[in-house]
Amino acid sequence: MEKISAAITAVGGYVPEYRLTNTELEKMVDTNDEWIKTRTGIEERRILKEPGLGSSDMAVEAVKVLLQKKNMHPNEIECLICATVTPDMTFPATANIICDKLGASQSFGYDIEAACSGFLYALTTGAALIESGRYKKVVVVGVDKMSSIIDYSDRATCIIFGDGAGAVLLEPTTDGTGIKDSLLRSDGSGRQYLHMKAGGSVKPPSIETVMAKEHFVYQEGQTVFKFAVKGMADVSYELMQRNNLTADDIAWLVPHQANLRIIDATANRMNLPKEKVMINIQKYGNTTAGTLPLCLWEWESKLKKGDNLVLAAFGGGFTWGATWVKWSY
Ligand code: UT7
């Protein structure tokens, strides 16, 4: 029997309209445009401002884009996996809410939480559902409304993050393209450097936790930076090695957009020139689980069937990984 692989057959994306620029941040915290640009590469980020809207609303817009491209009814979706650290609610899963809002009544869905590596974890899991032969149409979403957990008086974090969503459709193929390999890692001992202090079962929300601002992202930037540079570059290199891929074989590096310096370090380790690296951090900042599918969405028209893509990420957990995709259309 021919081996079934999971092909990405459509991509959708959505970013909110509101642009939070570096100049505007200068009025909110002690920072400046020059510092932000040279240290991170970010010029602006998108923010979902409308009250009452959450991650699911951005995800719905992203999925609608891909359904339209495929002329597909929401009822054709068999499974929807949503990667996010900013679910609409603690429960039920945001995937369920997305399916409801889309009218995807024949689908089951669940969330995966692996912070900035969430999309890679979800993509690998979704691919396995397709490869098993049991499912033919799986949607994988990466979405975060980071503005809902950012303290806009903390200059160490508020300059980095933004809101956005991306989604891909996975379908079976036997033509040799699709998701070829994945190397995923996690190390929970890294949680001390990047986490949210309260709101979980260890420290449930209380007046005290709110007053202490413990429902925001806490990050020790320098330490995370060091782990990220090593983790993302090492795993990408290892993925190339074990699949005998050289820099010439790779058409595109699709890196998590956390910091331009981390992206550069990964590209250097893989020996890839800048022209082969997808970079949109200057426009959107770090949208956590949204960065990778948002890159695919923006670059979709430049991709050709058979192109080798390496997707790479590092984030809270710590979680990190790299995935080799042979583009299918
Ligand atoms: O995606 C999830 C994983 N997260 C990441 O990958 C993020 C990794 N970390 C980073 O990207 C960087 O560490 C940051 C962008 C967060 C910070 O950049 P950095 O180059 O590591 O800066 P730093 O924390 O070492 O601070 C350098 C200096 C300090 O001043 P002194 O002590 O040298 O006088 C900071 O107080 O820059 C100061 N600083 C700022 N200045 C202006 C810190 N934040 C700011 C700011 N504006 N926003």
Side-chain angles (χ1 to χ4, degrees), residues 220-239:
E220 293 179 26
Q222 250 184 38
T223 310
V224 178
F225 183 89
K226 283 182 200 145
F227 278 101
V229 164
K230 185 165 167 30
M232 212 162 108
D234 280 358
V235 80
S236 305
Y237 186 72
E238 204 184 323
L239 183 82

Side-chain angles (χ1 to χ4, degrees), residues 29-32 35-36 39-40 116 155-156 159-161 194 219-225 228 256-259 261-262 286 288 314-316:
V29 288
D30 181 14
T31 191
N32 60 79
W35 190 96
I36 301 173
R39 295 286 178 136
T40 70
C116 300
R155 71 174 183 174
I159 56 145
I160 305 169
F161 293 98
L194 180 51
Q219 175 171 260
E220 293 179 26
Q222 250 184 38
T223 310
V224 178
F225 183 89
H256 173 51
Q257 313 280 311
N259 188 315
R261 291 181 289 147
I262 300 174
N286 182 351
T288 304
F314 185 95

